[in-house]
Amino acid sequence: MHSSEHNLESVLAAMLGPEIVVEVATPTVVADQLFPDEQQHIARAVAKRQAEFGTARVCARRALARIGMAPCSLVPHPDRSPRWPCGVKGSISHTQGCCVVAVTRSPDMVALGVDIEEDTPLQRDLVPAICTPDEQQWVDRFDQETKGWLGKLLFSAKEAFYKCQYPLTRTIIDFHDVQLSVDLAAGAFSVAKVRPNGPSWDQVRQVAGKFCRDSHFIVTTAVLTAGSKPQG
Ligand SMILES: CC(C)(COP(=O)(O)OP(=O)(O)OC[C@H]1O[C@@H](n2cnc3c(N)ncnc32)[C@H](O)[C@@H]1OP(=O)(O)O)[C@@H](O)C(=O)NCCC(=O)NCCS
């Protein structure tokens, strides 16, 4: 493992806490370490996608072994969401040069999402698509350089939130369906508003988000614990 991977793994482990296990690796083609159905699932993809898909499976099996689970095939669901063994919650993300997987068996964890992005500014013309008008107003208070990374931070945080909410709601939501509130000093974010209504959305509003900039990456995590009570 490279020292930057080791560092990122420690950073993510600290963000997610002791009940969640994290594995980080550089994507490489690992076809010989995949189950036959995983190989078949990815056979027609380009080499970059084969590397990230395969490395994620290898990382996931390493993480699952650390929580006492036997190796098993991890072909995704038809909707592309990850398939975990019974009783396991987890999340996967990859970006240029890095793959991260987080899993837990803790009954206190309801759902989790992780996201990793290159720490480069969000393209300015993408800001209105990613940020709600209130989020744009908040971003606009900062200098040009800060605006760029805050845009990328909101993008990543919404992706982590999306992955966390999906197992509960099974709903594809748009970037404007959720508005986040970011505490820069605390390295944390929370849900300010989420558009859909209903019991699972009341629960999803309680997602606790964290972020960190490390080794040229922005990493975000979104966790929903059993102790989170829907707001009345
Ligand atoms: C799922 C999605 C968030 C993936 O994000 P990404 O930045 O493109 O890619 P990442 O590498 O970070 O994540 C990929 C992983 O997401 C996971 N994923 C895919 N669909 C998922 C879902 N519905 N729920 C949870 N996780 C999902 C998979 O494990 C995938 O890894 P794999 O293909 O190796 O199994 C994104 O592609 C998507 O489908 N978005 C649609 C909705 C959206 O973006 N809404 C705005 C946010 S509020």
Side-chain angles (χ1 to χ4, degrees), residues 134-211:
D134 284 358
E135 288 168 343
Q136 282 184 64
Q137 241 179 36
W138 174 70
V139 168
D140 280 340
R141 299 208 315 247
F142 295 87
D143 62 71
Q144 210 53 44
E145 198 189 323
T146 311
K147 276 181 198 175
W149 91 261
L150 288 180
K152 187 59 92 59
L153 170 64
L154 283 167
F155 173 78
S156 179
K158 288 186 181 193
E159 296 279 76
F161 170 77
Y162 176 80
K163 293 174 192 173
C164 184
Q165 65 81 34
Y166 190 83
L168 298 169
T169 69
R170 295 276 155 200
T171 304
I172 298 172
I173 56 167
D174 180 73
F175 285 98
H176 280 217
D177 285 332
V178 59
Q179 183 166 301
L180 299 179
S181 173
V182 179
D183 182 338
L184 285 178
F189 64 89
S190 57
V191 176
K193 287 182 203 164
V194 63
R195 199 177 323 209
N197 285 310
S200 30
W201 294 99
D202 291 340
Q203 191 180 21
V204 153
R205 277 190 189 89
Q206 306 309 308
V207 162
K210 290 189 185 170
F211 69 89

Side-chain angles (χ1 to χ4, degrees), residues 1-224:
M1 185 192 284
H2 299 141
S3 64
S4 59
E5 287 168 15
H6 186 265
N7 195 40
L8 202 55
E9 200 169 288
S10 315
V11 165
L12 268 159
M15 288 164 77
L16 289 164
E19 291 183 286
I20 300 174
V21 164
V22 181
E23 287 284 335
V24 173
T26 304
T28 45
V29 174
V30 285
D32 56 335
Q33 295 174 56
L34 299 185
F35 280 74
D37 54 349
E38 292 173 336
Q39 285 177 7
Q40 203 181 340
H41 179 80
I42 206 67
R44 273 178 282 168
V46 296
K48 179 177 181 288
R49 174 67 186 139
Q50 294 207 1
E52 64 184 25
F53 176 90
T55 304
R57 269 67 218 163
V58 170
C59 281
R61 279 191 274 279
R62 279 210 301 257
L64 289 169
R66 285 170 56 194
I67 57 170
M69 306 295 295
C72 63
S73 170
L74 299 166
V75 172
H77 291 287
D79 63 9
R80 294 189 47 220
S81 63
R83 190 191 300 267
W84 301 109
C86 190
V88 173
K89 285 111 191 175
S91 185
I92 296 170
S93 185
H94 4 69
T95 191
Q96 192 63 40
C98 195
C99 168
V100 305
V101 179
V103 295
T104 185
R105 266 176 107 172
S106 166
D108 296 338
M109 299 290 158
V110 177
L112 66 112
V114 293
D115 190 70
I116 181 161
E117 303 290 337
E118 286 182 282
D119 192 355
T120 52
L122 185 70
Q123 249 178 266
R124 210 187 293 184
D125 57 339
L126 288 180
V127 171
I130 305 301
C131 302
T132 65
D134 284 358
E135 288 168 343
Q136 282 184 64
Q137 241 179 36
W138 174 70
V139 168
D140 280 340
R141 299 208 315 247
F142 295 87
D143 62 71
Q144 210 53 44
E145 198 189 323
T146 311
K147 276 181 198 175
W149 91 261
L150 288 180
K152 187 59 92 59
L153 170 64
L154 283 167
F155 173 78
S156 179
K158 288 186 181 193
E159 296 279 76
F161 170 77
Y162 176 80
K163 293 174 192 173
C164 184
Q165 65 81 34
Y166 190 83
L168 298 169
T169 69
R170 295 276 155 200
T171 304
I172 298 172
I173 56 167
D174 180 73
F175 285 98
H176 280 217
D177 285 332
V178 59
Q179 183 166 301
L180 299 179
S181 173
V182 179
D183 182 338
L184 285 178
F189 64 89
S190 57
V191 176
K193 287 182 203 164
V194 63
R195 199 177 323 209
N197 285 310
S200 30
W201 294 99
D202 291 340
Q203 191 180 21
V204 153
R205 277 190 189 89
Q206 306 309 308
V207 162
K210 290 189 185 170
F211 69 89
C212 190
R213 294 176 97 179
D214 186 82
S215 315
H216 318 293
F217 297 111
I218 294 178
V219 285
T220 54
T221 62
V223 172
L224 192 60

